[in-house]
Amino acid sequence: MSGSPAMNRLVAALKRLPGIGEKSATRLTFFLLSAPDPLAAELADAIVRLKRETVLCEGCYDLTDRSPCRLCADDQRDDTLICVVEEPGDLQAVERSGQFHGRYHVLGGALSPLEGMGPGHLRIAELERRVRSGEVREVIFATNPNAEGEATANFIAERLRPSGVTLSRIACGMPLGGDLEYADHVTVGRSLENRHKLS
Amino acid sequence: MSGSPAMNRLVAALKRLPGIGEKSATRLTFFLLSAPDPLAAELADAIVRLKRETVLCEGCYDLTDRSPCRLCADDQRDDTLICVVEEPGDLQAVERSGQFHGRYHVLGGALSPLEGMGPGHLRIAELERRVRSGEVREVIFATNPNAEGEATANFIAERLRPSGVTLSRIACGMPLGGDLEYADHVTVGRSLENRHKLS
């Protein structure tokens, strides 16, 4: 690339982001060069402040600007329900559904021996402590419906079983608006297994 | 989105970039949160310095860190040939082909009445001045092989015709509707080799 060292440097920095290759990085660099000054300044400042102004909530381990987070501090939510998710992004997905009004617990990942993720890397002890506190009646496992997520849910459920709380797993089936013809056979099979009576 | 205001702010800033929607922006934000500190700092700093350390070359109007740029200052290059391109990214594409050893002229775009780009928006007068200086023997039009690029080449060729220099157009070894910036160097090189005179 000709251009300036400053351009090469930004291209190199952008290329380290997931899903951004040489061409996207170059395109973004040219865009930022021709964009109004405030846009680039705002982006740079937002990146700088991101980590400085984001902390882990000591209640649910979600990413937040203050601990306890808005959801943990909200006394309108049901303390007897805990929804267990892998990552903060999953918490957001559940929250967007508007179907859950209890508390959350972010594990920080899923069990994955191949990637060196063992039980010690997840916030399982913290979850056990919350369940042992006595108020919790049900733990809903909303880990991802893949091998790692299933294994994680099953592993933690075994650990929590002695506590006597209800342990549940989100349903697997066809996504709304999906097409049976193009769905994978495991999903279709699961949607058959999990069929419910029409009243 | 739950999370911190700092996260929402970065997602909003990233979404203003071309080709980045809500999901990509959220993914990049989570990545930057979990990435080592120096990576985010380097990216923010690279964005801040990009414009500050990038100027237009007064010779060819390429983006560079100093004027005249490396290519204009190189006395090994052929002063009798000028390759006309639309954008700095196109110059880089031609340079990567290794088939051109003359000088460049970056127009700053292409004629596009629909987007309000008229001759006055392009560096045509500057090109005429360079051609009139007397040293130039041939002007090669390497504008993009699409309607705007063709129109731009033909328009400028008409303006330069009285000067008596040879006017040529890169060959359409390039796929029609394509973009020089994203073509592979062999194709770009072939299109230079096969350039033909504009009658």
Side-chain angles (χ1 to χ4, degrees), chain B residues 90-160:
Chain B
D90 303 328
L91 182 157
Q92 290 173 17
V94 174
E95 195 56 17
R96 273 197 301 273
S97 79
Q99 295 292 314
F100 182 71
H101 306 287
R103 305 295 181 182
Y104 288 96
H105 190 88
V106 182
L107 291 171
L111 293 177
S112 176
L114 285 177
E115 292 176 25
M117 286 289 278
H121 296 92
L122 306 180
R123 298 183 198 101
I124 298 176
E126 291 85 341
L127 176 61
E128 289 182 300
R129 207 173 304 134
R130 291 179 73 181
V131 170
R132 257 188 272 118
S133 74
E135 263 191 318
V136 181
R137 277 191 304 108
E138 179 175 355
V139 175
I140 304 171
F141 291 94
T143 51
N144 284 320
N146 54 27
E148 290 82 6
E150 295 290 342
T152 306
N154 290 327
F155 178 86
I156 302 178
E158 280 314 307
R159 294 266 289 257
L160 295 180

Side-chain angles (χ1 to χ4, degrees), chain B residues 19 25 43 57 65 70 86 99 120 123 152 164 169 177 193 198:
Chain B
L43 178 59
C57 170
D65 58 324
R70 186 175 56 78
E86 295 177 19
Q99 295 292 314
R123 298 183 198 101
T152 306
R169 179 86 176 100
E193 257 172 37
L198 290 173

Side-chain angles (χ1 to χ4, degrees), chain A residues 1-10 13-14 16-20 23-24 26-51 53-55 62-66 70-71 88-92 95-96, chain B residues 1-7 9-10 13-14 16-20 26-51 53-55 62-65 70-71 88-92 95-96 181-184:
Chain A
M1 167 163 184
S2 71
S4 67
M7 291 166 67
N8 298 341
R9 195 178 148 213
L10 180 55
L14 287 168
R16 297 176 65 185
L17 301 179
I20 296 190
K23 283 181 182 176
S24 301
T26 305
R27 191 164 58 113
L28 290 171
T29 299
F30 280 128
F31 173 83
L32 284 170
L33 263 175
S34 61
D37 277 336
L39 193 149
E42 164 66 14
L43 178 60
D45 192 50
I47 293 170
V48 166
R49 285 163 179 258
L50 174 67
K51 272 202 181 176
E53 298 177 7
T54 304
V55 297
D62 187 21
L63 295 165
T64 173
D65 56 324
R66 56 168 186 270
R70 186 175 56 78
L71 293 172
D90 303 327
L91 183 158
Q92 291 174 15
E95 194 57 16
R96 270 197 303 272
Chain B
M1 167 165 184
S2 69
S4 66
M7 290 166 66
R9 195 179 149 214
L10 180 54
L14 286 168
R16 297 176 65 185
L17 302 179
I20 295 190
T26 305
R27 191 165 59 113
L28 289 170
T29 299
F30 280 128
F31 173 83
L32 284 169
L33 263 175
S34 61
D37 278 336
L39 193 148
E42 164 67 14
L43 178 59
D45 193 49
I47 292 170
V48 167
R49 286 163 178 258
L50 175 67
K51 272 203 183 176
E53 299 177 7
T54 303
V55 296
D62 187 20
L63 295 164
T64 173
D65 58 324
R70 186 175 56 78
L71 293 172
D90 303 328
L91 182 157
Q92 290 173 17
E95 195 56 17
R96 273 197 301 273
E181 186 175 349
Y182 303 122
D184 71 279

Side-chain angles (χ1 to χ4, degrees), chain A residues 139-154:
Chain A
V139 174
I140 304 171
F141 291 95
T143 50
N144 285 321
N146 54 27
E148 289 82 7
E150 295 290 344
T152 306
N154 290 329

Side-chain angles (χ1 to χ4, degrees), chain A residues 115-137:
Chain A
E115 291 175 26
M117 286 290 278
H121 297 94
L122 305 179
R123 297 181 199 104
I124 299 175
E126 290 85 342
L127 176 62
E128 288 182 299
R129 208 173 304 136
R130 292 179 73 182
V131 170
R132 256 188 272 120
S133 74
E135 265 192 318
V136 180
R137 277 190 305 105

